[in-house]
Amino acid sequence: MNRAAFLSRVREAAQRGRAHRVHLHEVPDGTGYVGAAGDLCEALAAEVEAVGGSAHVVNDREGARAALNDLLRQYNARSAYCWQHPVLDRLALAELLREENVETHRHDTLTAMTPAARKARILAADIGISSVDVAIAETGTLVVCSRPGQERLATLLPPVHVAIVDAHQIVPDLFDAFERLDPLSLASNIALITGPSKTGDIELQLTTGVHGPGKWHVIVIRNAQAMHVD
Amino acid sequence: MTKVDYLRSEHHEFLDASAEALGNRNLQAILGRLGDTLGARNKQAWAELPNSDLVRERARAIKDETLAELDKHLETLDASVRRLGGHVHWADNGEEACRAILEIIQSHGASKVVKSKSMTSEEIHLNKALEKAGIRPVETDFGEYIIQVAGQRPSHIVGPALHLSKDQVAEILSAEAGENLPSDREELAAFARRRLRSSFAEAEVGITGVNFAIAETGTIVLISNEGNARLTTSLPKVHIAVMGIEKVIPRLADLPVFLKVLARAATGQKQSVYASMITGPRRDGEIDGPEEFHLVILDNGRSRILEGPLRESLFCIRCGACLNACPIYRNIGGHAYGGVYAGPIGAVLTPLYDGLARNEHLPHASSLCGACQAACPVKIAIPEMLVKLREQLHGEPGQGGWLESLAYRTWARMLRSPWLYRAATWLATRTIGWLWRKKRWINRLPGKVGGWTKTRDFPAPAAERFRDWWQREGQQ
């Protein structure tokens, strides 16, 4: 329990242990970089499908709104837990949800509630809608960083998670994604999400949705900038 | 009936327990599928990572460098966690760790605790310690939940309920549900989801292990496929993480190297579904995440291992690949090993943590085929370590004896001299080889060596030496 004594014991052991260091081979820089060949949007979509998600590559924001609309109807969503994010704002997500009569919970509305009321609402949400900080084409991974408006539970609690990704948010490889993270200012929670929630705990057979979202959709907007002006 | 219930209690009866496992048809059927399912997936995942051998070498190098200055990295980690407003607790052994965790829970007057699967918490028997104080932590990993309900021990590092069939799981969960659940994986998972959601909703404290702890940033990393680790660290107000000292890595940039190899080795995925990087408690303005973060750093015999020849065992990132690859594990499963850690790495770790003399069979529970080392994402030389443990065992008084020692000395003398070797093989082929020339297998050996033929036959020497055959036939 004593920090100093604990560390001094480790120090002595580490020093003595150096006699048993292992023989290592030279490893060139860049080893393990895989990346993705060709179009990053298509590569990301292919990996998303490979890990059990559904990818929707669309050309512009109109396409993204249509894809999202389809999903809301497909799952008969009555309430949504949403991020507040520029990518979602540019889609006019709030209006879209209002038009579809989907009750919307987001940082601004939730902070006004008591913690108990807040918990009850988000636990009951039918769908979670987020963007990403980075998406990784090689593995179909979404990197989501927590901050006010980017709640960690929005991508986790609802049975369905829909992520909307702009093409410029995609990088080829995991190493590229880590290049974008600054060790001096990491968010309190960063999640790398690769697929719907899974388990192999019964007879090693795949079962989905045991804790996190069992349905996982990624809408990739190929050309968000080409969209008409506001 | 056996004296000890191997499914529920730790034990030192390797031979009896493995004999029982070999006779368990249900377990044999499950273990038989292990290689086909996981083995094939792993192979594919490694194939998709170019130069995977070098990536594993890099991961290994990071571990080796870190251990050489482990105290410094732990100090950095400590400072980083405290800078973020987290609390660090140092525990020499399991008892101290359990006490620290219990004190944190009690200081909040809390009783509702959820847990995400952690081998380290198994090692320190945390659940038992908390239950003694009237707190029953709910295991939330699906497999771990099943065996908690059944009162059993995990049988695999990654798949704790691997030893149970679908029907057995249905039976276990039906008893818990108070209704008949069908033997259907989706339905059983849906039941667990509902049950555990309500545990999560009311949980005050979340306890997790740690896959990696990044010193420079004070970040702890948790890997899971189900999402329970994320829920455990997002919903409750207090998060307690417990780690062995060897879990620290120096830099943020080291993490992707391990993320590239861990899931491939563990489950044959390129990436696990969720990797959470948790850097301190929630920040101003955030409405989810824990308000308090505690990190318990555990020694429990690790510094003793760190200074010795088996230091490399501390490289282990608990992926379970060596279990899946091991012909012994694939025949006897996890419970036969007796300790918390099963399989080849368990055969190294359990004697180190729990004592060599009372686990004397574990270093021998290997054919030294090397499949474990080949499967290991950090290339731990497990066979070499098992041999070292065997040497230590036989150096201890009461082991071996003069007869065995004489036999080995004679054997060694014979192998060193070509003349003696030729004479001995000539004699063997003309006597035993000739007598058994029809049967080829000896089914009973006399005296001390009879142990061999108790469970299998011994191959008789050939009736003709290879060198004689070669002289006659091979020259053309």
Side-chain angles (χ1 to χ4, degrees), chain B residues 373-400:
Chain B
Q373 186 173 3
C376 178
V378 286
K379 304 206 266 187
I380 300 176
I382 297 176
E384 212 175 287
M385 290 195 287
L386 291 171
V387 171
K388 278 181 188 159
L389 284 171
R390 290 181 192 184
E391 283 170 5
Q392 284 182 30
L393 254 177
H394 296 291
E396 282 175 16
Q399 296 284 340

Short mmCIF file of all heavy atoms in Angstrom, two decimals, chain B residues 373-400:
data_model
loop_
_atom_site.label_atom_id
_atom_site.label_comp_id
_atom_site.label_asym_id
_atom_site.label_seq_id
_atom_site.Cartn_x
_atom_site.Cartn_y
_atom_site.Cartn_z
N GLN B 373 3.87 -20.98 -28.57
CA GLN B 373 4.77 -19.88 -28.90
C GLN B 373 4.47 -19.34 -30.30
O GLN B 373 4.49 -18.13 -30.52
CB GLN B 373 6.22 -20.36 -28.83
CG GLN B 373 7.24 -19.25 -29.01
CD GLN B 373 8.67 -19.73 -28.76
OE1 GLN B 373 8.91 -20.91 -28.49
NE2 GLN B 373 9.62 -18.81 -28.81
N ALA B 374 4.16 -20.25 -31.21
CA ALA B 374 3.85 -19.83 -32.58
C ALA B 374 2.57 -19.00 -32.62
O ALA B 374 2.43 -18.10 -33.44
CB ALA B 374 3.70 -21.04 -33.49
N ALA B 375 1.63 -19.27 -31.71
CA ALA B 375 0.36 -18.55 -31.72
C ALA B 375 0.42 -17.24 -30.94
O ALA B 375 -0.45 -16.39 -31.09
CB ALA B 375 -0.74 -19.44 -31.13
N CYS B 376 1.44 -17.08 -30.12
CA CYS B 376 1.48 -15.95 -29.18
C CYS B 376 1.72 -14.62 -29.89
O CYS B 376 2.67 -14.50 -30.65
CB CYS B 376 2.57 -16.19 -28.14
SG CYS B 376 2.72 -14.83 -26.97
N PRO B 377 0.88 -13.61 -29.63
CA PRO B 377 1.05 -12.32 -30.31
C PRO B 377 2.29 -11.56 -29.84
O PRO B 377 2.70 -10.61 -30.49
CB PRO B 377 -0.23 -11.56 -29.95
CG PRO B 377 -0.71 -12.18 -28.69
CD PRO B 377 -0.31 -13.62 -28.77
N VAL B 378 2.89 -11.98 -28.72
CA VAL B 378 4.15 -11.36 -28.30
C VAL B 378 5.25 -12.42 -28.22
O VAL B 378 6.29 -12.20 -27.60
CB VAL B 378 4.01 -10.59 -26.96
CG1 VAL B 378 3.26 -9.28 -27.17
CG2 VAL B 378 3.32 -11.41 -25.90
N LYS B 379 5.01 -13.54 -28.87
CA LYS B 379 6.01 -14.59 -29.06
C LYS B 379 6.72 -15.03 -27.77
O LYS B 379 7.94 -15.17 -27.72
CB LYS B 379 7.05 -14.14 -30.10
CG LYS B 379 6.42 -13.76 -31.44
CD LYS B 379 7.38 -13.93 -32.58
CE LYS B 379 8.14 -12.67 -32.93
NZ LYS B 379 8.96 -12.79 -34.13
N ILE B 380 5.95 -15.24 -26.73
CA ILE B 380 6.54 -15.71 -25.47
C ILE B 380 7.06 -17.13 -25.66
O ILE B 380 6.36 -18.00 -26.18
CB ILE B 380 5.51 -15.67 -24.33
CG1 ILE B 380 5.01 -14.24 -24.12
CG2 ILE B 380 6.11 -16.21 -23.03
CD1 ILE B 380 3.91 -14.11 -23.09
N ALA B 381 8.28 -17.37 -25.20
CA ALA B 381 8.91 -18.70 -25.35
C ALA B 381 8.38 -19.63 -24.26
O ALA B 381 9.11 -20.02 -23.34
CB ALA B 381 10.42 -18.57 -25.29
N ILE B 382 7.10 -19.99 -24.38
CA ILE B 382 6.47 -20.80 -23.34
C ILE B 382 7.15 -22.18 -23.16
O ILE B 382 7.43 -22.57 -22.03
CB ILE B 382 4.95 -20.95 -23.60
CG1 ILE B 382 4.28 -19.56 -23.53
CG2 ILE B 382 4.30 -21.88 -22.57
CD1 ILE B 382 2.81 -19.57 -23.87
N PRO B 383 7.44 -22.90 -24.26
CA PRO B 383 8.07 -24.21 -24.06
C PRO B 383 9.39 -24.12 -23.27
O PRO B 383 9.64 -24.91 -22.37
CB PRO B 383 8.34 -24.69 -25.49
CG PRO B 383 7.35 -23.97 -26.33
CD PRO B 383 7.16 -22.64 -25.68
N GLU B 384 10.18 -23.10 -23.60
CA GLU B 384 11.45 -22.92 -22.91
C GLU B 384 11.22 -22.69 -21.41
O GLU B 384 11.94 -23.20 -20.56
CB GLU B 384 12.15 -21.71 -23.51
CG GLU B 384 13.65 -21.77 -23.52
CD GLU B 384 14.20 -20.56 -24.26
OE1 GLU B 384 14.09 -20.53 -25.52
OE2 GLU B 384 14.67 -19.64 -23.59
N MET B 385 10.18 -21.91 -21.09
CA MET B 385 9.90 -21.63 -19.69
C MET B 385 9.41 -22.88 -18.96
O MET B 385 9.74 -23.09 -17.80
CB MET B 385 8.89 -20.49 -19.57
CG MET B 385 9.51 -19.17 -19.98
SD MET B 385 8.55 -17.75 -19.46
CE MET B 385 7.24 -17.90 -20.59
N LEU B 386 8.64 -23.71 -19.68
CA LEU B 386 8.17 -24.95 -19.05
C LEU B 386 9.36 -25.86 -18.74
O LEU B 386 9.41 -26.51 -17.70
CB LEU B 386 7.17 -25.66 -19.97
CG LEU B 386 5.81 -24.94 -20.13
CD1 LEU B 386 4.98 -25.60 -21.21
CD2 LEU B 386 5.04 -24.95 -18.81
N VAL B 387 10.33 -25.87 -19.66
CA VAL B 387 11.53 -26.69 -19.42
C VAL B 387 12.29 -26.15 -18.21
O VAL B 387 12.75 -26.91 -17.35
CB VAL B 387 12.42 -26.72 -20.68
CG1 VAL B 387 13.76 -27.36 -20.37
CG2 VAL B 387 11.72 -27.47 -21.81
N LYS B 388 12.38 -24.81 -18.12
CA LYS B 388 13.07 -24.22 -16.96
C LYS B 388 12.38 -24.61 -15.66
O LYS B 388 13.04 -24.91 -14.66
CB LYS B 388 13.12 -22.70 -17.09
CG LYS B 388 14.25 -22.22 -17.98
CD LYS B 388 14.31 -20.69 -18.08
CE LYS B 388 15.32 -20.28 -19.14
NZ LYS B 388 15.08 -18.92 -19.64
N LEU B 389 11.06 -24.59 -15.68
CA LEU B 389 10.32 -24.99 -14.48
C LEU B 389 10.56 -26.46 -14.15
O LEU B 389 10.70 -26.84 -12.99
CB LEU B 389 8.82 -24.72 -14.66
CG LEU B 389 8.39 -23.26 -14.56
CD1 LEU B 389 6.93 -23.10 -14.98
CD2 LEU B 389 8.57 -22.73 -13.14
N ARG B 390 10.64 -27.30 -15.19
CA ARG B 390 10.91 -28.72 -14.96
C ARG B 390 12.29 -28.89 -14.32
O ARG B 390 12.46 -29.69 -13.41
CB ARG B 390 10.88 -29.50 -16.28
CG ARG B 390 9.49 -29.63 -16.86
CD ARG B 390 9.52 -30.42 -18.15
NE ARG B 390 8.25 -30.32 -18.86
CZ ARG B 390 7.96 -30.97 -19.97
NH1 ARG B 390 8.84 -31.79 -20.51
NH2 ARG B 390 6.78 -30.83 -20.56
N GLU B 391 13.25 -28.11 -14.80
CA GLU B 391 14.60 -28.19 -14.23
C GLU B 391 14.57 -27.82 -12.76
O GLU B 391 15.17 -28.49 -11.92
CB GLU B 391 15.54 -27.24 -14.97
CG GLU B 391 15.99 -27.76 -16.32
CD GLU B 391 16.73 -26.70 -17.14
OE1 GLU B 391 16.96 -25.58 -16.62
OE2 GLU B 391 17.02 -26.99 -18.30
N GLN B 392 13.86 -26.73 -12.46
CA GLN B 392 13.75 -26.31 -11.06
C GLN B 392 13.14 -27.41 -10.21
O GLN B 392 13.60 -27.69 -9.12
CB GLN B 392 12.89 -25.06 -10.94
CG GLN B 392 13.59 -23.78 -11.37
CD GLN B 392 12.66 -22.57 -11.18
OE1 GLN B 392 11.82 -22.55 -10.30
NE2 GLN B 392 12.83 -21.57 -12.02
N LEU B 393 12.11 -28.04 -10.76
CA LEU B 393 11.42 -29.10 -10.02
C LEU B 393 12.36 -30.24 -9.70
O LEU B 393 12.40 -30.74 -8.59
CB LEU B 393 10.29 -29.65 -10.90
CG LEU B 393 8.87 -29.27 -10.54
CD1 LEU B 393 7.94 -29.85 -11.57
CD2 LEU B 393 8.49 -29.75 -9.15
N HIS B 394 13.14 -30.64 -10.70
CA HIS B 394 13.97 -31.81 -10.50
C HIS B 394 15.22 -31.49 -9.72
O HIS B 394 15.90 -32.39 -9.24
CB HIS B 394 14.24 -32.48 -11.84
CG HIS B 394 12.97 -32.99 -12.43
ND1 HIS B 394 12.28 -34.03 -11.89
CD2 HIS B 394 12.21 -32.52 -13.45
CE1 HIS B 394 11.17 -34.22 -12.58
NE2 HIS B 394 11.09 -33.31 -13.52
N GLY B 395 15.49 -30.21 -9.58
CA GLY B 395 16.59 -29.81 -8.72
C GLY B 395 16.17 -29.84 -7.26
O GLY B 395 17.01 -29.84 -6.36
N GLU B 396 14.86 -29.91 -7.04
CA GLU B 396 14.39 -29.89 -5.66
C GLU B 396 14.54 -31.27 -5.03
O GLU B 396 14.40 -32.28 -5.71
CB GLU B 396 12.91 -29.46 -5.63
CG GLU B 396 12.76 -27.97 -5.78
CD GLU B 396 11.30 -27.54 -5.88
OE1 GLU B 396 10.42 -28.33 -5.53
OE2 GLU B 396 11.07 -26.40 -6.31
N PRO B 397 14.85 -31.33 -3.74
CA PRO B 397 15.04 -32.61 -3.08
C PRO B 397 13.76 -33.44 -3.13
O PRO B 397 12.66 -32.90 -3.16
CB PRO B 397 15.40 -32.24 -1.64
CG PRO B 397 14.98 -30.82 -1.48
CD PRO B 397 15.02 -30.20 -2.83
N GLY B 398 13.94 -34.78 -3.18
CA GLY B 398 12.77 -35.65 -3.17
C GLY B 398 12.27 -35.96 -4.56
O GLY B 398 11.42 -36.81 -4.74
N GLN B 399 12.80 -35.28 -5.56
CA GLN B 399 12.37 -35.54 -6.92
C GLN B 399 13.44 -36.38 -7.61
O GLN B 399 14.61 -36.28 -7.32
CB GLN B 399 12.17 -34.23 -7.68
CG GLN B 399 11.07 -33.37 -7.12
CD GLN B 399 9.69 -33.90 -7.48
OE1 GLN B 399 9.54 -34.67 -8.41
NE2 GLN B 399 8.70 -33.51 -6.69
N GLY B 400 13.05 -37.18 -8.58
CA GLY B 400 14.01 -37.95 -9.35
C GLY B 400 14.57 -39.12 -8.58
O GLY B 400 13.90 -40.11 -8.37
#
